[in-house]
Amino acid sequence: MAAQFGRRLRRGATTTAVAAAAVAALSASQAPAAPHPGDQAAAGATPPGDSAATGNSPYHTDLPPLNTPNKPGASVNLPVTGSAEAGIPASVLAAYKKAEQAVAGTDAACRLPWQLLAAIGKVESGQARGGKVDANGTTFSPILGPALNGQGFALIRDTDGGAYDGDSTHDRAVGPMQFIPSTWATWGQDGNGDGRKDPNNIYDAALAAGRYLCAGSRDLSLATDLDRAVLSYNHSTEYLRTVRSWFDYYNRGTHEVPDGTGVLPADTGTGAGAGTGTGTGTSSPSPTPPSTGTTPPAASPPATPPATSPPATTPPPAKPTPPPTTPPPTTTPPVTPSPAETFGSLENAGTGPLTATAGEAFAERVKVRARNMLGAPLARTPVTFTLVGETDTRFAGGKSTVTLTTGADGTVTAPALTAGERTGAFKVTAVAGTGKPRILTYTARVTARVADTVARTEDKALTAAPGAAFADRVEVRTTYKGTGVADTAVTATMITDAETPAENDKGPYFKGADGEPVRTLNLTTGADGLLTLPEIHADDTAGTYTLRLTTASGATLTVELKVEAPAA
């Protein structure tokens, strides 16, 4: 914006600072109102372009008017009346003040002033294009800087697969605070508490900018630290002067205006932060070639020659007819999908723990949600689910890979999984997008069957005469939901009939390796869960006794053993 001469200059804390700001404003105001690449700061203090928050993207060069919103010392919360440039859209102003409060609660020593965020927001995007944001603070269309392809700007190759900026070749600055994707990946914040970190949301972007400016041990009440912070945003002394001018202007006073009614930079729609779909750019009609101002005289008709008899001549040979030419095929330029139609990210949509017992179906299924570049759910997005690792678990139909498409709410659920016999962990991946696809990985686990039942394979009564062996052996089977479970530990104990059973010291027994009586054995089931106990012997005491078999999982079986003399 051109400087307004004839008005009084702003007064600052020191005469030197005011003079420097005034000179900068007067000189910069003569530059064309268009964004330009940041010139480099002092030698030796300028890191590479991609180390700045904006990647040293272009910015708006408009300067504040030389007349301040109010006289020094007046309130910084003016009524709606006053300079139009002092008006900041309501949602944008609220985002700056909320960010100041949030940072003060976690880094009070930084002393972040919201007016600094306002100054940067003005230079980067004209306060989110004059406050064109929805009720949640998200811009109606993305604010994108030019491709950082090294052609007049820094060279920053794509770091986000186009998720934020829609460019899978080079990065672009994104959103009202113009973060490049690589910086947003580190500093992105959720300023409005909606569970997302969206660079196109003024609350998220303002909080991220505040935390970025406060990096390290900066105290922004100190001029040197504030200058370093601004230069870390864009390494340009001209950028610093421009931000400083707006910072001083907003410190003198500002007021709230309705969203969408803020003053737009003179260069909106033509460069930095113009983005897509601004609807604010103007175009000049193509110039008409200048006229010479004279009209050439009309040519006189040729004189008619006297009529004479033409000499007899041989007519010239006819010219050959050129072969017909085939017009070149008409090519249709590729259609670039809008951000609302472009895949941006893939997220978990509520998948629970993936565990199952061998041979059983998993209770949970993998569910994901695709979002577009604006963060909204994206329908009709192909998602490929794949089982990875050594497993014989399969999706329904015996498949290890399946591709499905998201529905209207952007979600898609993988088919049910059925565990195989191989136990242990494996992975399930969900992949969407091309170029740099988004991948979600889930850990799944198959556990071994654990016997829930132990039972005899036949119900024959077990009897023996005193001092003799039982004629029949005890055979049992351990199962899980009816399926035999091999390698199940089983403890067999001859117990008393007391209220609290204990190992019995008389009655039936097993023989140990040395032939001595043993009344407790630790055994293991074989194939299909079958186990045949060793031969059982009776001592000389007649009576009814109990054999108890217990598995590690708590399954229990009691078997009755009778020792009685044979009938006469």
Side-chain angles (χ1 to χ4, degrees), residues 401-460:
T401 297
V402 62
T403 300
L404 301 173
T405 303
T406 59
D409 62 350
T411 66
V412 61
T413 303
L417 284 169
T418 300
E421 295 301 319
R422 185 190 293 269
T423 60
F426 62 96
K427 305 289 185 182
V428 183
T429 62
V431 182
T434 58
K436 288 188 175 180
R438 300 294 183 270
I439 303 175
L440 295 178
T441 301
Y442 302 84
T443 298
R445 184 175 298 277
V446 177
T447 58
R449 295 183 183 89
V450 176
D452 57 8
T453 303
V454 55
R456 290 184 62 190
T457 58
E458 57 183 5
D459 295 331
K460 183 182 295 186

Side-chain angles (χ1 to χ4, degrees), residues 12-225:
T14 65
T15 303
T16 303
V18 171
V23 171
L26 288 170
S27 60
S29 66
Q30 308 307 310
H36 60 284
D39 56 331
Q40 297 299 311
T46 305
D50 59 354
S51 66
T54 67
N56 290 338
S57 294
Y59 54 89
H60 295 296
T61 58
D62 296 24
L63 290 171
L66 293 182
N67 61 308
T68 57
N70 67 320
K71 61 183 180 181
S75 169
V76 296
N77 292 298
L78 295 181
V80 175
T81 59
S83 171
E85 284 288 3
I88 298 178
S91 293
V92 178
L93 182 59
Y96 296 150
K97 292 184 176 181
K98 184 175 182 180
E100 178 192 62
Q101 295 172 356
V103 173
T106 57
D107 189 6
C110 176
R111 296 178 174 85
L112 169 73
W114 66 259
Q115 290 89 345
L116 179 59
L117 297 176
I120 290 176
K122 178 69 174 178
V123 171
E124 292 296 347
S125 68
Q127 309 298 21
R129 299 197 198 110
K132 292 184 178 179
V133 297
D134 62 20
N136 294 321
T138 303
T139 57
F140 290 122
S141 57
I143 301 177
L144 301 177
L148 298 176
N149 55 12
Q151 303 299 314
F153 313 121
L155 174 61
I156 306 180
R157 303 195 183 282
D158 176 61
T159 61
D160 67 329
Y164 292 119
D165 55 15
D167 190 334
S168 58
T169 303
H170 297 96
D171 272 350
R172 298 170 182 258
V174 181
M177 303 303 279
Q178 289 288 278
F179 279 95
I180 56 175
S182 58
T183 306
W184 184 259
T186 301
W187 293 93
Q189 301 289 316
D190 176 15
N192 62 351
D194 64 355
R196 297 177 51 234
K197 299 176 181 179
D198 183 2
N200 291 298
N201 182 278
I202 185 59
Y203 290 95
D204 295 358
L207 182 56
R211 298 206 185 283
Y212 181 89
L213 293 168
C214 287
S217 58
R218 290 178 184 145
D219 179 353
L220 299 184
S221 66
L222 303 177
T224 52
D225 278 6

Side-chain angles (χ1 to χ4, degrees), residues 133-384:
V133 297
D134 62 20
N136 294 321
T138 303
T139 57
F140 290 122
S141 57
I143 301 177
L144 301 177
L148 298 176
N149 55 12
Q151 303 299 314
F153 313 121
L155 174 61
I156 306 180
R157 303 195 183 282
D158 176 61
T159 61
D160 67 329
Y164 292 119
D165 55 15
D167 190 334
S168 58
T169 303
H170 297 96
D171 272 350
R172 298 170 182 258
V174 181
M177 303 303 279
Q178 289 288 278
F179 279 95
I180 56 175
S182 58
T183 306
W184 184 259
T186 301
W187 293 93
Q189 301 289 316
D190 176 15
N192 62 351
D194 64 355
R196 297 177 51 234
K197 299 176 181 179
D198 183 2
N200 291 298
N201 182 278
I202 185 59
Y203 290 95
D204 295 358
L207 182 56
R211 298 206 185 283
Y212 181 89
L213 293 168
C214 287
S217 58
R218 290 178 184 145
D219 179 353
L220 299 184
S221 66
L222 303 177
T224 52
D225 278 6
L226 188 144
D227 287 351
R228 290 192 189 100
V230 175
L231 287 172
S232 75
Y233 217 86
N234 189 312
H235 299 294
S236 162
T237 52
E238 178 62 27
Y239 179 83
L240 174 61
R241 286 194 295 269
T242 306
V243 170
R244 273 284 199 174
S245 296
W246 284 106
F247 178 54
D248 177 67
Y249 183 77
Y250 287 139
N251 271 315
R252 294 303 185 96
T254 186
H255 58 270
E256 176 185 300
V257 298
D259 287 347
T261 64
V263 176
L264 295 174
D267 55 356
T268 296
T270 62
T276 59
T278 64
T280 58
T282 59
S283 58
S284 301
S286 301
T288 303
S291 171
T292 60
T294 60
T295 302
S300 301
T304 303
T308 58
S309 300
T313 58
T314 304
K319 294 182 179 180
T321 302
T325 59
T326 302
T330 302
T331 58
T332 302
V335 178
T336 302
S338 68
E341 300 171 326
T342 304
F343 172 73
S345 62
L346 190 67
E347 65 185 24
N348 183 12
T351 305
L354 297 173
T355 58
T357 300
E360 292 193 337
F362 283 72
E364 286 285 332
R365 295 164 65 181
V366 176
K367 184 178 182 180
V368 299
R369 177 179 289 104
R371 293 188 180 275
N372 62 20
M373 288 177 55
L374 303 180
L378 183 62
R380 299 186 300 278
T381 301
V383 179
T384 299

Side-chain angles (χ1 to χ4, degrees), residues 490-494 510 519-523 533 547-550:
V490 177
T491 299
T493 305
M494 303 294 180
F510 304 105
R519 290 186 168 85
T520 298
L521 289 179
N522 292 316
L523 308 167
L533 273 63
L547 166 64
R548 184 178 64 188
L549 296 99
T550 306

